[in-house]
Amino acid sequence: MAGADVGGDAASSSFYSDFMVLRPDKGGFYDMFHLLWSCKVAENAAVDCPAGTEIADRRRRWAVFVSLVAQVLLLWVKKPVTLLGKVTEYWMNLLDENGGGVLMVLVRALQGKLKFPDRSSPSYRSCIGLFDTRVELDKEIKHGDSNYHAALSIMAAKIAYENELVIKNVVERHWKMKLLACYNCWNDFQGDYTTQAFVLADKAVDATLAVVAFGGTRPFDTEQWCIDVDISWYEIPGIGKIHGGFMKALGLQRHGGWPKDLDDGDHRKPPFAYYAIRETLRSFLSENAGARFAVAGHSLGGALAVLFPTILALHGEEDVLARLEGVYTFGQPRVGDEEVGRFMGRYLDRPSRYFRFVYCNDIVPRVPYDDSALQFKHFGTCLYFDSLYQGRVILSRQVKQVVHEEPNKNYFSLLTVAPKVVNAAWELARSFLIVYVAGPEYTEGWLMRLARVAGLVLPGLPPHSPRDYVNSTRLGAVKTQEMVILIAEADDKDRSNELFVARKCCSLQDSISMIANVQGKIQDM
């Protein structure tokens, strides 16, 4: 059991029963390397955990060591990487403002017509935004279509990487919707603003849907990368073990854990993502009696998106959860152990309201590892798409230790190296061909093609781009080859049934409709 406030830096023990918090700021290199041969982690300055804790598994200690070293290195290069990011982003916007190529920049400079980007302009885009400059919603997917929320969610998750001016411009001018709030939120453990999010309503008056979109990991933000690689965890009674880095980003209090409400006495206190967004939703739902809401995010944003209703459930926010339309995540990493999946299944599985999109060889959904060392596991509905944007829908009821998810679930395997490189080469070739098959809106620019080239060496990174997830929701001509549903019986007996459904679908819309139809049949059994 934890003490009242371990080292003055762990969150209040009133909300957890066990924990392991990595402290790269406290431990030196000796402490980190000492993990490799000593199982007595409780005596290590780089690890906060209950007294007497030992980790006998060498692989698990290796994972802790790698996480600590990665965080130290990322924090060490924070300033130069931030500077590099600003320069790179400005240069990319300069190219975009002047026709998209170096040659055009030179020609316009010689002509005295060079346009310089303005960081305070609604046209100034992030690096992620310049990988895929599309901002319009797919006109072929209409409000009321069963895949409308998924298509809207990936676009919201994509523009969540942008600054407030860009977000407001896209939401209100292009989508004709209403921006309710835009947040830059505080991380109490890192002492900085690490979490971005916004909330929109589908209409300015008589709205029927709000969408909460969390921003993902920015390429040059090393503090956000620290959140991703931090494998700290807290075990919450009745819920399970949850990734500590993600909870810190969502608003975990350094000296209070997860209180249901924050002290409103100090109005100068910076916003915390969970609490600020919850208040916006409460207000929206009270003003729009029939409205519902969806939560979306890409990458780190996907992890925060699925943890948001988890903390709502922890706080007993039944009225808010009752109006949850769905959680849509894209390239989301694992957020907890199988106990978390079982707990959230009560809120998200009947009917299915959690859709986890995974594109091909994207590395991020395959970490942290699902193995005996780390014990992180996915849950919910997985919609997996290959590099032809064909996919399969996998529904899971996490009653046992059996969970069906995307192929090559832990990514790193010598047997898959060659196929991944071959697939990366195909994706590079596809970047030149897709415009002739799908149309001009799918044209890939030089920047995305450069990333595809890099994918020949690092084949798991380019598939993580929001572009492929946007394409998956739009070109989702899905041949759903297998749907697996694990069902727990109402009694507490140690049994489960499996229902296998194989069917071809012509679109993502058909896939989502099939999910609802099959679940209806299951509930009638």
Side-chain angles (χ1 to χ4, degrees):
M1 293 293 289
D5 197 27
V6 179
D9 293 301
S12 171
S13 64
S14 61
F15 89 98
Y16 61 80
S17 59
D18 198 4
F19 68 98
M20 184 181 70
V21 179
L22 305 189
R23 295 299 312 273
D25 57 321
K26 277 193 171 182
F29 278 103
Y30 171 79
D31 298 296
M32 296 178 198
F33 281 97
H34 194 250
L35 287 166
L36 298 178
W37 65 81
S38 174
C39 63
K40 297 180 179 180
V41 294
E43 299 175 3
N44 197 300
V47 181
D48 277 344
C49 57
T53 299
E54 296 185 1
I55 300 178
D57 189 334
R58 291 180 180 272
R59 292 181 305 157
R60 191 176 173 196
R61 295 204 308 272
W62 172 255
V64 173
F65 168 77
V66 170
S67 176
L68 283 166
V69 171
Q71 290 180 70
V72 168
L73 293 176
L74 286 166
L75 292 174
W76 184 61
V77 299
K78 175 183 175 180
K79 289 185 178 180
V81 170
T82 300
L83 178 61
L84 175 63
K86 289 181 178 179
V87 172
T88 302
E89 192 172 82
Y90 188 85
W91 172 250
M92 291 166 61
N93 276 276
L94 179 67
L95 294 176
D96 187 62
E97 287 277 354
N98 292 278
V102 176
L103 182 60
M104 287 299 299
V105 169
L106 294 175
V107 169
R108 290 194 174 186
L110 292 173
Q111 294 175 339
K113 297 180 180 180
L114 189 64
K115 295 181 180 179
F116 293 95
D118 180 4
R119 285 191 171 91
S120 62
S121 165
S123 63
Y124 191 86
R125 307 294 296 278
S126 69
C127 293
I128 295 294
L130 290 170
F131 274 113
D132 183 3
T133 58
R134 292 174 293 184
V135 296
E136 300 294 346
L137 299 176
D138 188 346
K139 294 180 174 59
E140 299 299 318
I141 302 175
K142 308 295 185 184
H143 188 280
D145 290 348
S146 59
N147 58 333
Y148 172 78
H149 293 143
L152 174 60
S153 292
I154 180 54
M155 291 300 290
K158 186 168 82 78
I159 69 162
Y161 285 93
E162 307 301 330
N163 63 57
E164 184 173 355
L165 288 174
V166 174
I167 293 172
K168 185 176 180 64
N169 180 58
V170 172
V171 169
E172 299 191 348
R173 284 193 58 193
H174 293 267
W175 299 354
K176 309 302 180 186
M177 297 182 183
K178 177 68 175 177
L179 181 64
L180 298 179
C182 200
Y183 295 106
N184 187 23
C185 296
W186 187 255
N187 185 318
D188 220 12
F189 291 77
Q190 293 193 5
D192 204 351
Y193 295 89
T194 66
T195 306
Q196 290 73 42
F198 73 91
V199 186
L200 67 81
D202 62 349
K203 290 181 282 188
V205 180
D206 297 327
T208 59
L209 178 73
V211 176
V212 177
F214 288 94
T217 305
R218 288 169 166 76
F220 298 98
D221 191 327
T222 60
E223 289 193 338
Q224 288 188 334
W225 281 101
C226 283
I227 292 170
D228 294 335
V229 302
D230 180 5
I231 60 170
S232 302
W233 53 264
Y234 297 91
E235 183 168 7
I236 304 176
I239 298 181
K241 292 181 180 179
I242 302 181
H243 190 291
F246 300 149
M247 285 208 296
K248 295 171 187 175
L250 189 60
L252 179 68
Q253 300 298 289
R254 188 169 182 173
H255 299 293
W258 279 119
K260 185 168 184 179
D261 296 292
L262 296 179
D263 182 10
D264 294 331
D266 186 0
H267 296 289
R268 297 171 298 175
K269 199 170 186 178
F272 293 93
Y274 167 78
Y275 297 99
I277 293 168
R278 186 187 63 179
E279 291 310 306
T280 298
L281 276 180
R282 282 175 173 172
S283 176
F284 169 81
L285 295 173
S286 67
E287 294 171 3
N288 298 273
R292 300 177 68 81
F293 74 98
V295 191
H298 169 262
S299 189
L300 166 63
L304 302 182
V306 73
L307 285 181
F308 180 75
T310 304
I311 306 304
L312 286 175
L314 172 66
H315 288 158
E317 296 282 353
E318 302 291 341
D319 291 343
V320 177
L321 284 169
R323 297 170 71 176
L324 174 64
E325 181 66 30
V327 178
Y328 299 86
T329 70
F330 307 87
Q332 171 218 312
R334 297 182 177 99
V335 300
D337 66 3
E338 61 181 324
E339 294 295 328
V340 177
R342 278 197 284 266
F343 173 78
M344 288 309 296
R346 304 205 300 265
Y347 296 91
L348 299 178
D349 276 356
R350 295 181 184 274
S352 182
R353 295 190 291 174
Y354 172 32
F355 301 92
R356 183 174 60 84
F357 285 71
V358 177
Y359 169 73
C360 201
N361 289 326
D362 183 354
I363 186 175
V364 175
R366 295 168 168 92
V367 295
Y369 263 24
D370 175 358
D371 62 8
S372 60
L374 294 182
Q375 301 178 338
F376 285 92
K377 291 186 179 295
H378 275 309
F379 59 94
T381 306
C382 174
L383 291 91
Y384 173 78
F385 291 82
D386 63 21
S387 58
L388 294 174
Y389 301 117
Q390 295 180 335
R392 51 182 169 175
V393 182
I394 307 168
L395 292 181
S396 65
R397 295 279 183 253
Q398 198 162 8
V399 273
K400 294 279 192 180
Q401 295 180 354
V402 181
V403 179
H404 296 265
E405 56 176 306
E406 61 271 10
N408 188 27
K409 68 178 183 178
N410 286 331
Y411 189 79
F412 294 102
S413 169
L414 292 176
L415 296 176
T416 63
V417 171
K420 282 186 287 195
V421 172
V422 169
N423 190 79
W426 153 244
E427 288 175 332
L428 175 60
R430 186 193 63 191
S431 70
F432 293 91
L433 301 173
I434 192 169
V435 62
Y436 301 106
V437 177
E441 70 174 286
Y442 295 93
T443 302
E444 294 193 10
W446 66 270
L447 188 63
M448 192 65 223
R449 288 172 181 166
L450 190 62
R452 302 284 190 202
V453 172
L456 298 173
V457 180
L458 300 168
L461 293 183
H464 188 56
S465 164
R467 168 176 283 276
D468 284 318
Y469 286 97
V470 173
N471 290 352
S472 295
T473 61
R474 296 186 178 192
L475 298 176
V478 185
K479 291 182 178 180
T480 305
Q481 301 169 347
E482 181 182 30
M483 180 186 291
V484 181
I485 306 172
L486 299 179
I487 311 162
E489 293 191 11
D491 59 11
D492 292 326
K493 294 182 180 179
D494 208 12
R495 295 177 296 170
S496 64
N497 296 322
E498 291 186 0
L499 175 63
F500 294 86
V501 180
R503 172 179 169 183
K504 290 184 178 180
C505 296
C506 63
S507 69
L508 176 62
Q509 179 176 353
D510 290 340
S511 302
I512 295 176
S513 296
M514 182 168 66
I515 292 171
N517 292 336
V518 172
Q519 286 180 327
K521 293 178 181 178
I522 291 169
Q523 291 171 349
D524 293 336
M525 293 173 67

